[in-house]
Amino acid sequence: MQLRARVKTALRLKDALDRADQLNHNLLQGKEELERMVSARDSDLVRARKSLVLTLAKLVDHRSSGTGSHLLRMQLYCRALAEEAAKLPTFASQIDAAFIDCIEECAPLHDIGKVAVPDHILLKPGLLEAEERLIMQTHTTIGAETLQEVAKHQGFPPGFLQMAIDITRYHHERWDGTGYPDRLAGADIPLSARIVALADVYDALRSRRVYKPALSSHMAVLAITEASPGHF
């Protein structure tokens, strides 16, 4: 009787262990499937966000007679600069893979505030007058304030929006503190904005305008490194 009782107990225990093993196996399978679904969903959301950001930025760029290629070049330049900067001890602790992906995605938004600049200033073929320059400069604050309004509703990840705000507001600041709109100086200027500023100036120097020819890459680098004291 004791033998039969112990065998029954052992069989019930074995059955319970088998069910636990099967449940654990099912849970692991469910977890893996959920992770695959979440990963796919996140990838779709990131792709959608990138497309929306680039589309919005291109609409602004087209208004100023751009083709959108400037925005694509900006993304490539910013990624390249950030990847190289990450190799330096000065920036290694500030730049990781997430930073690089984010700055590439945010870079096209740097001039989004230009949507509020009047046509006669935005589309003026020659150099701007002093008063016109002041109005043009407001594109930094208008763009940043617009993104801050979006941030209140958090339709995008907070980190993404904060970098976008920093870039939009501060990409015309100068290292010596003579830039705009807040006259920040040195490392007080967010690193993302400093990288975008460098890429933006390089692309401007390499592009032909009504009032100037396009410079070669070598001459553009010389202009940035030698002919712009205090800027970068």
Side-chain angles (χ1 to χ4, degrees):
M1 291 177 63
Q2 287 182 349
L3 176 62
R4 284 197 295 271
R6 291 189 178 186
V7 168
K8 286 181 181 179
T9 300
L11 289 173
R12 284 196 292 269
L13 178 60
K14 177 64 167 62
D15 185 53
L17 290 173
D18 287 345
R19 289 199 301 273
D21 287 343
Q22 185 61 44
L23 178 60
N24 188 49
H25 177 70
N26 292 341
L27 285 173
L28 287 174
Q29 281 189 323
K31 176 176 176 290
E32 291 172 357
E33 180 63 24
L34 181 60
E35 286 175 347
R36 283 194 294 270
M37 291 172 62
V38 169
S39 178
R41 184 201 64 184
D42 288 348
S43 296
D44 289 342
L45 287 174
V46 168
R47 283 195 294 270
R49 187 177 73 208
K50 288 181 177 179
S51 297
L52 286 171
V53 165
L54 196 55
T55 299
L56 181 60
K58 280 188 175 183
L59 287 173
V60 179
D61 193 51
H62 282 310
R63 181 169 174 261
S64 57
S65 302
T67 63
S69 56
H70 163 65
L71 302 176
L72 298 176
R73 291 194 302 269
M74 284 290 292
Q75 287 186 306
L76 295 174
Y77 295 155
C78 288
R79 170 169 281 276
L81 284 170
E83 287 176 344
E84 288 302 310
K87 300 174 184 178
L88 304 174
T90 304
F91 303 113
S93 62
Q94 302 176 62
I95 301 177
D96 56 13
F99 179 100
I100 294 170
D101 289 341
C102 195
I103 196 171
E104 179 182 22
E105 191 174 341
C106 291
L109 294 173
H110 66 290
D111 278 339
I112 194 173
K114 285 184 176 179
V115 72
V117 176
D119 284 347
H120 73 277
I121 295 176
L122 185 64
L123 304 178
K124 186 174 180 178
L127 297 175
L128 299 177
E129 302 293 335
E131 185 176 345
E132 293 172 333
R133 281 200 303 274
L134 290 176
I135 295 174
M136 179 65 85
Q137 289 175 6
T138 63
H139 80 276
T140 56
T141 52
I142 290 172
E145 288 165 4
T146 300
L147 291 172
Q148 284 171 337
E149 285 297 315
V150 174
K152 290 181 181 178
H153 302 285
Q154 294 193 1
F156 289 92
F160 170 86
L161 276 174
Q162 187 55 59
M163 181 179 285
I165 291 167
D166 287 344
I167 288 171
T168 304
R169 187 178 185 94
Y170 302 122
H171 70 283
H172 282 292
E173 298 287 359
R174 290 173 55 104
W175 187 259
D176 61 7
T178 62
Y180 64 88
D182 298 321
R183 292 187 174 274
L184 298 184
D188 288 340
I189 306 169
L191 180 58
S192 58
R194 284 146 57 193
I195 291 174
V196 169
L198 191 57
D200 197 24
V201 170
Y202 176 80
D203 192 62
L205 292 171
R206 296 278 285 125
S207 302
R208 185 176 64 83
R209 297 287 186 267
V210 175
Y211 51 86
K212 74 168 191 68
L215 297 183
S216 67
S217 180
H218 175 69
M219 293 304 296
V221 171
L222 283 179
I224 289 172
T225 57
E226 297 179 5
S228 58
H231 196 154
F232 301 107

